[in-house]
Amino acid sequence: MIGTIVSHYRIQEKLGAGGMGVVYKAEDLRLGRMVALKFLPEDSARDTQTLERFKREARTASALDHPNICTIYEIDEDQGHSFIAMQLLQGATLQQRIGDKPVPVEQALDWALQITDALQAAHVKGIVHRDIKPANVFITEERNQAKILDFGLAKLIAPEVSSANDATLSTGRQLTRAGAAIGTVAYMSPEQARGDTLDARTDIFSFGVLLYEMVTGRQAFSGPTWAVTVHAILGQAPVSLSESVPGLPLRLQQIIDKALVKNRDLRYQTATEVHADLLQLKKQVDSGKSLKKVRAPSKWAWQNWSAGRRREATLAALVIVITAAGILGWQLSTRNRSQAVGVPTASAVPDRRSLAVLPFAAVANDPKLTAFGKGLLEDVAAKLSQLSANHDVEVVPARTLEDKNIATLADAKKEFGVNLGLTVSIEQANDLVRAAYSLTDAKSGKNLAGDSITAPVSDLFTIEDKLTNGVAAALQLPLRSEEKQALGVHSTSFPEAYQYFVQGRGYLQESRKPETLTSAEIVFKQALKIDPNYGAAEAGLGETYWHRYDLTKQKQWIASAQQGCTKAVDLGNSGAEGHICLGLLLSGTGEYEKAAAQFQQAVQLDSTNDRAYRSLADAYQHLGLINKAEETYKRAISVRPQYWRGYSFLGAFYEAQADYGQAAQMWRQATVLDPESYTAFNGLGASLLYLGNDDEAVQALEKSIALRPGYNAYSNLAIAQFQLHKFKESVRDYLEALKLDDSDYEIWGNLADSYYYGGETALAEQTYRKAITMAEARLKVNPKDASVMSDLASYHAMLGHREQALNYLDHSLQFGQSNKDLLLNAAVVYNQLHETGPALEWLGKALAAGYSRPVVATGAFFDNLHGNPRYEALMQTK
């Protein structure tokens, strides 16, 4: 449009673009002045609701003639394009002026007085802004003057139209559903977050949040997810001023506190009251009069406040997330300093992009929309993961987080070392669906980017495409043409079938609930009714049946799963997921060779699919093809050499092969690529234990626990204590591990060993029996699992059950003849059964296969053999 004439304006340059408009610098040919012209985007201009809101902004702001409100000159239309002509402002938004540093108190009070003066003028005319935030306040370059922007969310509260519903200034037409929360989450009032009827006091709360941010440089209410932020708004107070900026006037703290009272009846009732208190404080500050300062709280008070925040954060999952997002600002062209209203600069994204896709929060009373949101998020995560082949980006899907009961970005940072979080919300109003996303910095908790997309229910492909491309742009990934094309590929051409499919994927994320599996089955079948050739839906149906078998152990579901997965592969359009579906079923039933063929196909179709690589390598290991398993892990690393988890997978593999030096090397590389990965430090500690480097191992394990207390790290520490014959300490650490996860029978078996060698035989017997029960349940799922059989042999031997022990041992060695762990376990079983000859024979085989001599030498299992010439000879052999 540059150079074109619209009405009586000549377009000179584009200034910025956002969800509610595109802004150009233009010359008013009649009056000879420069203006800003704001146009609706092409897709939004066809949406009557968005167009009405656009016009409402102009009507509302034009009704307010105030020096601290951006002036609207006119609203007009040219060749079907509606636009607003407004004052062209030179300067920056208040958000840009704040950055992450406090504004000097004198300047902050000056701007605060101007803002409250403008709010008085708006409220007198019955207009509530509803989105007061730093991005909607502009500071002019010439006069350093504050101007309120963007009345697109404003609401008329005149008595004749005041209600729980929104109303336009002219027609009273409802623009949002009753009770919907409107605005930007971090600046919402409690009543706004709850969707209550609003009045002028909501702007006062938002102003209090804005003032707090001005004088501290940090948001009053922020968190890794919207749920945490809303929870803070509804029930927490922000950190006191003294903790952020020591020496501020106590009176300023009191004013902010009164503006942020949760009960609006106890809050400031009018902007006039706030303005009066600020003016009095400003006079005192200007006069140089000594003011009482806020005092720092005691250490005890700070510690308890922090603990309270942590406890409250864990409850955030119980809060219903407010899904209506505010208008999320503009993306600014940086070509000159003239800025359109509401244009923030882009926030820096780290060079290493490790993204956690946070679990989708349930939409209240709408399980179908919730399931759709979860499935959509899984699709988006899968497409973003594919970009990691050519870009330095790692994506941790929401399902992976949910598997570990992680709901917040802070916990995802501790668990996976991510530095970014993606939050997505969905809402539906009649025939329209709106998706909003937010990219958050994991360290600071600040939003780096975000936007919203609206599309008809009949065009959900648009939601996925724009969401995926928007997030890729927010991550600042320069996409190739073929990558852009790949992001737009869909596995069906029927939008309605896609809608059912995505719902099914969402239901599968709660696969331990029979009712959600029933729902998944229903919607996958609906998708297949619409598109019988929908391979991905067949794979989803097959996976659903496999989960049903896993949940009920009823074998009829295996045949149903086989049919779905096989048909998905036969259709040829299910991508990697069809082959993974069939491969997991084959692997789960012991057909490892056929499973490997399926996983190989999956890797070829999706070179960035972690699950495909790990499943393929696992199948090769079951087949005894160790070299192929190693090659598989190395191939995964070659595709993404900066991806720390690739090295961790290979490190775990080397550890299983008793190549502890290589394992430690891989784990060290993982810690270099991600210094905050507790998993990598835990793996490094385990490898060092096998190498006999106990001191260094303890340091690595303590680092792991410091990053995130995990049951694996506690378990490894318990092993270290066991090796040192500190059996009480070993019991203690195993019990800590079980507090975090009591579902692994091996931890129970190891705890029983510690009880046994520590002399607590009654507790040992009880714990061995529990481990046996859990292991037998595992064996029913896969009767060919040699490791489980070997463990059962050991547990029965410790209880003196000779026949059962030898029976399980024989079967385990049939399926894992070259496995060093199984060979060592055979030695343990025979030694416990007092058959020294066979015990030493199997011990020799285990050591020859690569089992760690330091572990054998310092462990308790063969203490009785110390001094035996044959044992001593084995331990000296290299």
Side-chain angles (χ1 to χ4, degrees), residues 118-274:
L119 287 177
Q120 290 180 70
H123 294 169
V124 164
K125 292 198 173 185
I127 296 170
V128 181
H129 189 282
R130 297 198 302 175
D131 200 20
I132 294 295
K133 59 182 179 181
N136 279 341
V137 176
F138 202 87
I139 307 300
T140 63
E141 187 177 83
E142 184 177 353
R143 295 188 177 183
N144 206 32
Q145 188 177 28
K147 288 181 176 285
I148 298 179
L149 316 170
D150 199 349
F151 279 79
L153 296 181
K155 175 184 176 183
L156 184 66
I157 54 170
E160 61 270 17
V161 296
S162 180
S163 71
N165 297 335
D166 291 324
T168 66
L169 291 176
S170 60
T171 66
R173 178 184 170 218
Q174 183 177 325
L175 295 181
T176 59
R177 58 185 171 81
I182 296 295
T184 304
V185 175
Y187 302 92
M188 284 183 176
S189 65
E191 59 269 24
Q192 196 171 6
R194 289 190 298 263
D196 294 344
T197 303
L198 300 182
D199 56 31
R201 292 172 292 182
T202 191
D203 283 348
I204 293 172
F205 186 94
S206 299
F207 168 77
V209 178
L210 177 148
L211 180 57
Y212 179 93
E213 188 168 341
M214 268 203 289
V215 299
T216 65
R218 58 186 290 180
Q219 290 182 326
F221 306 105
S222 63
T225 67
W226 288 0
V228 175
T229 303
V230 170
H231 184 66
I233 289 170
L234 294 175
Q236 296 176 11
V239 179
S240 68
L241 298 185
S242 62
E243 289 295 330
S244 299
V245 185
L248 290 174
L250 176 62
R251 182 58 181 147
L252 179 59
Q253 176 78 74
Q254 293 169 342
I255 292 172
I256 291 174
D257 286 347
K258 189 172 180 180
L260 297 181
V261 172
K262 311 296 184 186
N263 184 341
R264 57 182 165 186
D265 291 334
L266 303 177
R267 196 182 301 158
Y268 281 112
Q269 298 298 290
T270 66
T272 304
E273 296 176 20
V274 190

Side-chain angles (χ1 to χ4, degrees), residues 75-146:
I75 181 170
D76 203 350
E77 183 177 303
D78 184 78
Q79 298 181 8
H81 299 292
S82 296
F83 66 88
I84 300 172
M86 66 185 79
Q87 182 181 10
L88 179 68
L89 300 176
Q90 302 280 343
T93 65
L94 180 56
Q95 183 178 34
Q96 294 167 315
R97 294 294 293 266
I98 295 172
D100 58 359
K101 296 180 180 178
V103 174
V105 66
E106 296 85 354
Q107 181 62 79
L109 290 173
D110 185 41
W111 287 338
L113 284 166
Q114 295 180 53
I115 294 167
T116 52
D117 197 38
L119 287 177
Q120 290 180 70
H123 294 169
V124 164
K125 292 198 173 185
I127 296 170
V128 181
H129 189 282
R130 297 198 302 175
D131 200 20
I132 294 295
K133 59 182 179 181
N136 279 341
V137 176
F138 202 87
I139 307 300
T140 63
E141 187 177 83
E142 184 177 353
R143 295 188 177 183
N144 206 32
Q145 188 177 28

Side-chain angles (χ1 to χ4, degrees), residues 410-433:
D411 284 343
K413 181 176 181 292
K414 292 178 182 178
E415 181 81 19
F416 296 101
V418 299
N419 55 14
L420 296 167
L422 174 66
T423 305
V424 175
S425 67
I426 303 286
E427 68 171 353
Q428 182 174 350
N430 299 322
D431 294 330
L432 292 176
V433 174

